[in-house]
Protein backbone atom coordinates (compact mmCIF):
# COMPACT_ATOMS: atom_id res chain seq x y z
CA UNK A 1 0.00 0.00 0.00
CA UNK A 2 1.41 3.36 -1.01
CA UNK A 3 1.10 6.65 0.87
CA UNK A 4 -1.57 8.06 -1.50
CA UNK A 5 -3.87 5.07 -0.95
CA UNK A 6 -3.36 5.24 2.81
CA UNK A 7 -4.04 8.97 2.78
CA UNK A 8 -7.27 8.53 0.81
CA UNK A 9 -8.42 5.78 3.18
CA UNK A 10 -7.71 7.81 6.30
CA UNK A 11 -9.38 10.89 4.83
CA UNK A 12 -12.46 8.83 4.00
CA UNK A 13 -12.64 7.40 7.51
CA UNK A 14 -12.31 10.88 9.02
CA UNK A 15 -15.02 12.40 6.82
CA UNK A 16 -17.45 9.53 7.46
CA UNK A 17 -16.87 9.80 11.23
CA UNK A 18 -17.45 13.56 11.22
CA UNK A 19 -20.60 13.12 9.12
CA UNK A 20 -21.83 10.51 11.60
CA UNK A 21 -21.24 12.88 14.52
CA UNK A 22 -23.25 15.60 12.80
CA UNK A 23 -26.06 13.17 11.94
CA UNK A 24 -26.16 11.87 15.52
CA UNK A 25 -26.89 15.41 16.70
CA UNK A 26 -30.36 14.98 15.17
CA UNK A 27 -31.34 12.76 18.08
CA UNK A 28 -30.31 15.48 20.48
CA UNK A 29 -32.24 18.09 18.51
CA UNK A 30 -35.33 15.86 18.61
CA UNK A 31 -35.12 15.44 22.38
CA UNK A 32 -34.38 19.12 22.98
CA UNK A 33 -37.32 20.28 20.87
CA UNK A 34 -39.64 17.62 22.34
CA UNK A 35 -38.76 18.96 25.79
CA UNK A 36 -39.82 22.47 24.82
CA UNK A 37 -43.28 21.62 23.48
CA UNK A 38 -46.47 20.43 25.10
CA UNK A 39 -46.73 16.68 25.56
CA UNK A 40 -49.38 16.35 22.86
CA UNK A 41 -46.92 17.74 20.26
CA UNK A 42 -43.86 15.68 21.21
CA UNK A 43 -44.54 13.01 18.58
CA UNK A 44 -44.96 15.69 15.92
CA UNK A 45 -41.53 17.08 16.77
CA UNK A 46 -39.94 13.64 16.54
CA UNK A 47 -41.63 13.11 13.17
CA UNK A 48 -40.21 16.41 11.93
CA UNK A 49 -36.73 15.09 12.64
CA UNK A 50 -37.54 12.00 10.56
CA UNK A 51 -38.76 14.31 7.79
CA UNK A 52 -35.52 16.29 8.05
CA UNK A 53 -33.47 13.15 7.63
CA UNK A 54 -35.49 11.28 5.00
CA UNK A 55 -36.83 14.06 2.80
CA UNK A 56 -33.73 16.19 3.33
CA UNK A 57 -31.35 13.43 2.29
CA UNK A 58 -33.44 12.32 -0.69
CA UNK A 59 -34.02 15.80 -2.09
CA UNK A 60 -30.36 16.72 -1.56
CA UNK A 61 -29.35 13.51 -3.38
CA UNK A 62 -31.68 14.04 -6.33
CA UNK A 63 -31.15 17.77 -6.96
CA UNK A 64 -29.59 19.70 -4.06
CA UNK A 65 -26.02 18.43 -4.36
CA UNK A 66 -25.99 19.16 -8.10
CA UNK A 67 -27.28 22.70 -7.61
CA UNK A 68 -24.68 23.25 -4.89
CA UNK A 69 -21.57 21.59 -6.31
CA UNK A 70 -22.31 21.02 -10.00
CA UNK A 71 -20.42 22.85 -12.71
CA UNK A 72 -20.98 26.56 -12.26
CA UNK A 73 -23.39 28.54 -14.42
CA UNK A 74 -22.71 32.25 -14.03
CA UNK A 75 -21.76 32.03 -10.36
CA UNK A 76 -25.35 31.31 -9.32
CA UNK A 77 -26.16 27.63 -9.75
CA UNK A 78 -24.64 24.21 -10.42
CA UNK A 79 -25.72 22.32 -13.53
CA UNK A 80 -24.21 18.82 -13.24
CA UNK A 81 -24.13 16.04 -10.67
CA UNK A 82 -27.80 15.19 -10.29
CA UNK A 83 -28.06 11.93 -8.32
CA UNK A 84 -24.24 12.09 -8.10
CA UNK A 85 -24.02 11.39 -11.82
CA UNK A 86 -22.63 13.46 -14.63
CA UNK A 87 -19.44 15.47 -14.59
CA UNK A 88 -18.15 16.32 -11.12
CA UNK A 89 -14.48 16.34 -12.12
CA UNK A 90 -14.13 19.99 -11.13
CA UNK A 91 -14.47 18.98 -7.44
CA UNK A 92 -10.88 18.24 -6.46
CA UNK A 93 -11.02 15.92 -3.43
CA UNK A 94 -9.00 13.15 -1.84
CA UNK A 95 -12.25 11.27 -1.08
CA UNK A 96 -15.01 9.88 -3.28
CA UNK A 97 -17.97 12.00 -4.31
CA UNK A 98 -20.25 9.63 -2.38
CA UNK A 99 -18.33 10.33 0.83
CA UNK A 100 -18.40 14.06 0.15
CA UNK A 101 -22.15 13.88 -0.48
CA UNK A 102 -22.66 12.16 2.90
CA UNK A 103 -20.69 14.89 4.66
CA UNK A 104 -22.62 17.67 2.93
CA UNK A 105 -25.93 15.86 3.50
CA UNK A 106 -25.32 15.96 7.24
CA UNK A 107 -25.19 19.75 7.04
CA UNK A 108 -28.28 20.11 4.88
CA UNK A 109 -30.14 18.11 7.52
CA UNK A 110 -28.70 20.34 10.26
CA UNK A 111 -29.80 23.55 8.53
CA UNK A 112 -33.41 22.42 8.25
CA UNK A 113 -33.33 21.29 11.89
CA UNK A 114 -32.74 24.90 12.90
CA UNK A 115 -36.07 25.78 11.32
CA UNK A 116 -37.86 22.88 13.02
CA UNK A 117 -37.39 24.34 16.48
CA UNK A 118 -38.61 27.78 15.45
CA UNK A 119 -41.90 26.52 14.05
CA UNK A 120 -42.60 23.90 16.73
CA UNK A 121 -46.32 23.62 17.53
CA UNK A 122 -47.16 26.29 14.95
CA UNK A 123 -47.00 24.63 11.53
CA UNK A 124 -49.00 21.89 9.85
CA UNK A 125 -47.02 18.74 9.22
CA UNK A 126 -47.62 18.79 5.45
CA UNK A 127 -46.51 22.41 5.25
CA UNK A 128 -43.31 21.50 7.10
CA UNK A 129 -42.61 18.75 4.58
CA UNK A 130 -42.91 21.29 1.74
CA UNK A 131 -40.66 23.70 3.63
CA UNK A 132 -38.09 20.93 4.06
CA UNK A 133 -38.18 20.15 0.35
CA UNK A 134 -37.70 23.81 -0.60
CA UNK A 135 -34.92 24.35 1.92
CA UNK A 136 -32.91 21.21 1.12
CA UNK A 137 -33.54 21.21 -2.62
CA UNK A 138 -33.18 24.87 -3.51
CA UNK A 139 -32.54 27.49 -0.81
CA UNK A 140 -29.56 25.91 0.99
CA UNK A 141 -27.93 24.52 -2.18
CA UNK A 142 -28.04 27.92 -3.87
CA UNK A 143 -26.54 29.69 -0.88
CA UNK A 144 -23.88 26.99 -0.58
CA UNK A 145 -23.06 27.26 -4.27
CA UNK A 146 -22.63 31.01 -4.04
CA UNK A 147 -20.05 30.67 -1.26
CA UNK A 148 -18.39 27.24 -1.44
CA UNK A 149 -18.46 25.99 -5.03
CA UNK A 150 -15.85 26.64 -7.68
CA UNK A 151 -17.08 29.83 -9.33
CA UNK A 152 -19.73 30.95 -6.81
CA UNK A 153 -20.24 34.71 -6.97
CA UNK A 154 -19.80 35.37 -3.23
CA UNK A 155 -16.70 33.18 -3.15
CA UNK A 156 -15.28 35.18 -6.04
CA UNK A 157 -15.84 38.36 -4.04
CA UNK A 158 -13.66 36.89 -1.29
CA UNK A 159 -16.27 35.58 1.14
CA UNK A 160 -14.89 32.90 3.41
CA UNK A 161 -17.42 30.96 5.47
CA UNK A 162 -15.62 29.37 8.39
CA UNK A 163 -17.35 26.19 9.59
CA UNK A 164 -20.67 27.08 7.98
CA UNK A 165 -21.31 30.14 10.11
CA UNK A 166 -23.10 31.92 7.26
CA UNK A 167 -24.33 29.22 4.90
CA UNK A 168 -25.54 26.81 7.57
CA UNK A 169 -26.21 28.69 10.78
CA UNK A 170 -27.13 32.17 9.56
CA UNK A 171 -29.19 30.86 6.65
CA UNK A 172 -30.99 28.43 8.97
CA UNK A 173 -31.60 31.18 11.50
CA UNK A 174 -32.88 33.67 8.92
CA UNK A 175 -35.08 31.00 7.39
CA UNK A 176 -36.44 30.11 10.82
CA UNK A 177 -37.11 33.79 11.51
CA UNK A 178 -38.89 34.18 8.17
CA UNK A 179 -41.02 31.12 8.89
CA UNK A 180 -41.89 32.34 12.40
CA UNK A 181 -42.85 35.79 11.09
CA UNK A 182 -44.93 34.26 8.30
CA UNK A 183 -46.74 31.93 10.70
CA UNK A 184 -47.24 34.68 13.24
Amino acid sequence: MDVATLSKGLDTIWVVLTAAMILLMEGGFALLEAGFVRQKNAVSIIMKVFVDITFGALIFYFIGFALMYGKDAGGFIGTTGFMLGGDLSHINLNITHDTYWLFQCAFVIAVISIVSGAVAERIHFRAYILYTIAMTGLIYPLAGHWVWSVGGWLGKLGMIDFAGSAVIHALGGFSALAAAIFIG
Side-chain angles (χ1 to χ4, degrees):
M1 179 182 301
D2 62 341
V3 174
T5 305
L6 180 63
S7 173
K8 186 172 184 168
L10 290 174
D11 287 349
T12 300
I13 290 169
W14 178 252
V15 171
V16 169
L17 285 174
T18 56
M21 285 189 282
I22 297 162
L23 288 169
L24 287 172
M25 289 189 318
E26 291 303 309
F29 293 152
L31 295 174
L32 174 72
E33 291 174 23
F36 279 119
V37 298
R38 292 173 289 179
Q39 185 176 359
K40 69 178 187 170
N41 292 318
V43 173
S44 175
I45 290 295
I46 302 300
M47 287 305 297
K48 284 180 186 170
V49 172
F50 284 118
V51 166
D52 294 345
I53 294 169
T54 55
F55 281 78
L58 288 172
I59 297 301
F60 192 67
Y61 173 76
F62 286 120
I63 60 172
F65 186 81
L67 296 178
M68 192 166 176
Y69 288 105
K71 282 198 174 186
D72 181 61
F76 291 101
I77 195 166
T79 58
T80 62
F82 295 94
M83 296 190 305
L84 295 178
D87 185 14
L88 292 171
S89 61
H90 60 284
I91 305 174
N92 188 15
L93 300 169
N94 196 32
I95 56 175
T96 65
H97 291 125
D98 298 335
T99 305
Y100 190 59
W101 174 85
L102 177 66
F103 182 71
Q104 293 301 327
C105 182
F107 288 112
V108 77
I109 291 168
V111 76
I112 194 63
S113 293
I114 295 170
V115 177
S116 174
V119 298
E121 296 188 322
R122 301 185 308 166
I123 192 170
H124 289 286
F125 191 67
R126 285 174 279 177
Y128 184 76
I129 291 172
L130 293 175
Y131 200 87
T132 299
I133 291 169
M135 189 71 172
T136 59
L138 186 64
I139 298 168
Y140 174 77
L142 286 179
H145 183 83
W146 295 348
V147 177
W148 290 329
S149 78
V150 177
W153 70 276
L154 287 174
K156 284 182 182 177
L157 291 175
M159 181 174 179
I160 298 173
D161 183 9
F162 181 72
S165 58
V167 176
I168 297 167
H169 299 97
L171 179 68
F174 290 138
S175 183
L177 177 63
I181 290 171
F182 183 76
I183 291 170

